[in-house]
Structures are given as structure tokens and as C-alpha cells.
């Protein structure tokens, strides 16, 4: 049912691009913003196929950004759209820097007051462009082109001076190990994009868990009412962009301090790693704890042939899965 060719690739699959950057923008007038997007949206990576050569673009919009782009459009009345989307998307008071930060777990070193180097607020962001790159040279050239284009169309970049690229950026470690020592990018959900419950595999999830625009009684996703705003949102989803402080030293200190309690179960040599595995549901090299509860295998076993139906008490704890998704804008 879902046309994968209409889905941004970041929704449909994982990327293997080794480098990435996220550029943040504030729109000026609607005409300039639309012209800027007309130039770059054709570069969007779509579908579930493998990464193509060259930069892979993904576009993510805040409600304020959408409202600016749709201003003056009688077919997509902004006031009606504000009523049809979830309040958590359209109401600035529901954003972390709008007063609910502690409810979302953003406090202390991760409090919104320290986000974005303190230069601007999350509510100032109209557009985020997530770009994957193959080489440093490709990255530098592409960022320069996008920035020159934005300036020409009156779209202001919200730059971050504390980052080398002036923007959120990073790389995919060659061995897949992130800074806490866990292997990343192992699993992805098996999504029933065809919306065929009768033939759906037991491990598949309903496509409405991932995208909006196909609401039913089980998944009353907004916009629920058929019409132009539901058509606009179809095949899009939602992204949460936040600034987190992650304290690797404190994490390692926690493992060491609690290792004596774990040692009687697995021995002192594995105690810290066992606690780390309990917290994530996998040993840090990627093997699932449910299949290897007492020790990690010497060779990582990264398949997904396991479940948690027989673990109602969370003995082999599993981690949550977060999707970074986006709503595509109409630029005409």
C-alpha cells in the first residue's frame, strides 16, 4: 500500500553513509524558502534500495516551517492544519524549551537552555536537512553549495560555532561501535509496507507504526480527517531532534561500582559487561542476551532470530528503538 518511492530513505531503511551532517535553517519569506527547497528536494534519498553514490539528503520540517511554506495557500489553510495535527507537533508549549523538558527527561546537563550552544531556541528551527556523505571532500563541497544557495534565497542558517563544520556532524565508526562501546545499526523493524494483515509475518509491524496518512481505528494517526492536510502528511512521519549530554565516564563508573553485585552470577571478569548487556539487551559486541545469557560468544551473532515473549519480567532486558523520520513539504 505504501509507495516506497514516496518515502524518504531515512524512514524506509538504514543508511551506510560514513559521514553525516545536520544543517538547521530559519526561513525568511515563503517564496525564497520554496525556491531554496525546489533546488534541493530533488536530491532527497528515497525508497528502500541501497545508498546511491553522492550526498543523501533528507528534509525535516517543524510546524512553524510548514506554516511559513503554506502561507497564502487556500488549499492548505494553516489554521485548519494546526487543528488537525497532534498538539505536540503544532503547540510550541509542547516543545522541550516550551516548559515540558523535565517530563521528557531533558534536565541538568541536557536541559534545553544549553542546546544549540545557547545561540537560539528549538522553536527557531524551521528546517533541518540531514545529509549523508561518502568522503570528507564531498562533504565540504556539498555543505558549501547548500549554504551558498540558502544565502541566495534568504534562508538563514542557524550555525553552531562549537562544531568543526558549523553544524551537527559525525561519522559512522568503521566497526560500528559507538562511544558507549555498543555496536550500532544491527537491527531494523520488518515493516509491512503492503498493509496485508492476512499474510503479515509474525515479526512484522503495521506500516502505521512508521508513517502517517493511513489512519484507521487501531492507529488513529493525525491528520485523521480525510482532506488536503491528510494528503499532505501521507508517507511522512515525525522526528525528535534534541541535544543530549552523554557522560561515558559516568557510565563506566556506574558499571565498575555495581560489578561486585553482578560477579556472583557471571564471575568478576564479565561483571561489568554483563551489567552493560542487561541495560541494552545485547552484549556490547552485538550478540543478544536472550540467546547468550551467561557470556558473549567469541564471534558476534547479530541475527534477529529471537524474541522476548518468554521473558515477561525483563530478565534479558531489551532496549527501545527510536526512528528518525520526517514530513515532506510541498514546495510548489
Amino acid at each position: 500500500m505504501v509507495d516506497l518511492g514516496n518515502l524518504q530513505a531515512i524512514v524506509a531503511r538504514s543508511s551506510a553513509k560514513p559521514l553525516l551532517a545536520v544543517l538547521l535553517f530559519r526561513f525568511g519569506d515563503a517564496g525564497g524558502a520554496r525556491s531554496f527547497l525546489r533546488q534541493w528536494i530533488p536530491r532527497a534519498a528515497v525508497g528502500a534500495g541501497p545508498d546511491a553514490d553522492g550526498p543523501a539528503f533528507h528534509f525535516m520540517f517543524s510546524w512553524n516551517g510548514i506554516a511559513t511554506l503554506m502561507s497564502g495557500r487556500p488549499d492548505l489553510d494553516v489554521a485548519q492544519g494546526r487543528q488537525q495535527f497532534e498538539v505536540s507537533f503544532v503547540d510550541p508549549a509542547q516543545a522541550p524549551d516550551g516548559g515540558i523538558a523535565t517530563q521528557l527527561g531533558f534536565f541538568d546537563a541536557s536541559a534545553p537552555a544549553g542546546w544549540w550552544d545557547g545561540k537560539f531556541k528549538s522553536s527557531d528551527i524551521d528546517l533541518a536537512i540531514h545529509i549523508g556523505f561518502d568522503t570528507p571532500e564531498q562533504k565540504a563541497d556539498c555543505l558549501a553549495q547548500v549554504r551558498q544557495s540558502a544565502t541566495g534565497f534568504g534562508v538563514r542558517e542557524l550555525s553552531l560555532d562549537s562544531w568543526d563544520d558549523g553544524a551537527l556532524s559525525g561519522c559512522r565508526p568503521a566497526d560500528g561501535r559507538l562511544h558507549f562501546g555498543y555496536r550500532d545499526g544491527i537491527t531494523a523493524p520488518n515493516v509491512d509496507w503492503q498493509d496485508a494483515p492476512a499474510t503479515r509475518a509474525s515479526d512484522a509491524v503495521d506500516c502505521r507504526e512508521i508513517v502517517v496518512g493511513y489512519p484507521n481505528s487501531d492507529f488513529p494517526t493525525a491528520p485523521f480527517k480525510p482532506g488536503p492536510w491528510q494528503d499532505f502528511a501521507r508517507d511522512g512521519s515525525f522526528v525528535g531532534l534534541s541535544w543530549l549530554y552523554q557522560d561515558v565516564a559516568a557510565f563506566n563508573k556506574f558499571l565498575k561500582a555495581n560489578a561486585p553485585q553482578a560477579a556472583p552470577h557471571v564471575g568478576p571478569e564479565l561483571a561489568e559487561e554483563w551489567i552493560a548487556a542487561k541495560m541494552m539487551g545485547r552484549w556490547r559486541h552485538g550478540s543478544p542476551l536472550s540467546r547468550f545469557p551467561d557470556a558473549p560468544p567469541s564471534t558476534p551473532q547479530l541475527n534477529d532470530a529471537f524474541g522476548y515473549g518468554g521473558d515477561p519480567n525483563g530478565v534479558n532486558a531489551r532496549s527501545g528503538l527510536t526512528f528518525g523520520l520526517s514530513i515532506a513539504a510541498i514546495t510548489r
Side-chain angles (χ1 to χ4, degrees):
M1 179 189 70
V2 176
D3 178 7
L4 292 179
N6 197 42
L7 235 61
Q8 295 197 66
I10 199 172
V11 180
R13 58 170 172 79
S14 299
S15 173
K17 294 288 184 180
L19 303 172
L20 66 89
V22 180
L23 300 176
L24 308 175
F25 294 98
R26 175 87 170 176
F27 294 148
D29 66 274
R34 290 172 187 155
S35 296
F36 172 69
L37 290 167
R38 287 192 195 102
Q39 178 177 354
W40 295 104
I41 277 185
R43 302 279 297 274
V46 299
D51 286 322
D53 292 335
F57 283 72
H58 304 94
F59 298 84
M60 308 172 187
F61 300 83
S62 69
W63 171 250
N64 286 342
I66 291 174
T68 297
L69 291 167
M70 299 302 109
S71 61
R73 291 280 302 272
D75 56 328
L76 285 165
D77 181 75
V78 172
Q80 292 183 5
R82 186 182 297 275
Q83 295 174 354
Q84 293 189 34
F85 278 103
E86 296 283 355
V87 66
S88 57
F89 180 54
V90 302
D91 183 1
Q94 298 296 312
D97 55 13
I100 62 169
T102 56
Q103 297 179 42
L104 299 175
F106 301 125
F107 50 85
D108 294 338
S110 294
W115 292 11
W116 324 123
D117 290 335
K119 294 180 62 178
F120 52 86
K121 295 183 177 181
S122 298
S123 56
D124 293 330
I125 302 171
D126 291 329
L127 167 70
I129 305 181
H130 177 291
I131 317 173
F133 309 95
D134 300 305
T135 66
E137 295 76 17
Q138 182 187 95
K139 179 181 181 182
D141 182 59
C142 180
L143 293 183
Q145 291 182 45
V146 173
R147 285 167 164 156
Q148 182 179 15
S149 172
T151 299
F153 289 115
V155 175
R156 179 168 66 94
E157 182 184 2
L158 302 174
S159 60
L160 298 167
D161 298 335
S162 64
W163 294 72
D164 291 340
D165 295 297
L168 302 172
S169 58
C171 65
R172 181 185 298 275
D175 62 356
R177 298 288 192 104
L178 300 184
H179 46 292
F180 283 106
Y182 295 95
R183 187 184 300 274
D184 189 36
I186 299 172
T187 61
N190 176 20
V191 183
D192 177 17
W193 296 117
Q194 298 305 311
D195 192 27
T199 57
R200 183 178 299 160
S202 59
D203 66 336
V205 299
D206 193 299
C207 60
R208 295 169 184 82
E209 299 262 17
I210 310 299
V211 296
V212 299
Y214 306 92
N216 60 18
S217 57
D218 293 326
F219 296 90
T221 53
F224 187 78
K225 181 181 179 181
W229 280 107
Q230 187 184 98
D231 296 340
F232 169 82
R234 185 169 295 117
D235 295 332
S237 191
F238 297 96
V239 60
L241 184 62
S242 59
W243 182 292
L244 297 176
Y245 177 76
Q246 297 182 318
D247 194 335
V248 176
F251 178 72
N252 291 334
K253 183 178 179 180
F254 171 85
L255 297 181
K256 186 175 295 293
N258 288 277
Q261 298 180 56
H265 302 280
V266 292
E269 69 283 354
L270 278 178
E272 291 183 32
E273 288 301 310
W274 190 65
I275 296 172
K278 285 285 188 178
M279 296 174 72
M280 188 58 65
R282 289 181 183 267
W283 296 95
R284 287 203 272 195
H285 73 353
S287 299
L289 190 64
S290 65
R291 294 185 58 209
F292 304 95
D294 300 319
S298 56
T299 301
Q301 303 295 312
L302 306 183
N303 67 69
D304 297 331
F306 67 94
Y308 296 94
D311 188 18
N313 297 318
V315 173
N316 296 316
R318 55 178 167 174
S319 64
L321 192 61
T322 303
F323 300 96
L325 313 178
S326 58
I327 291 184
I330 297 176
T331 58
R332 65 178 184 275

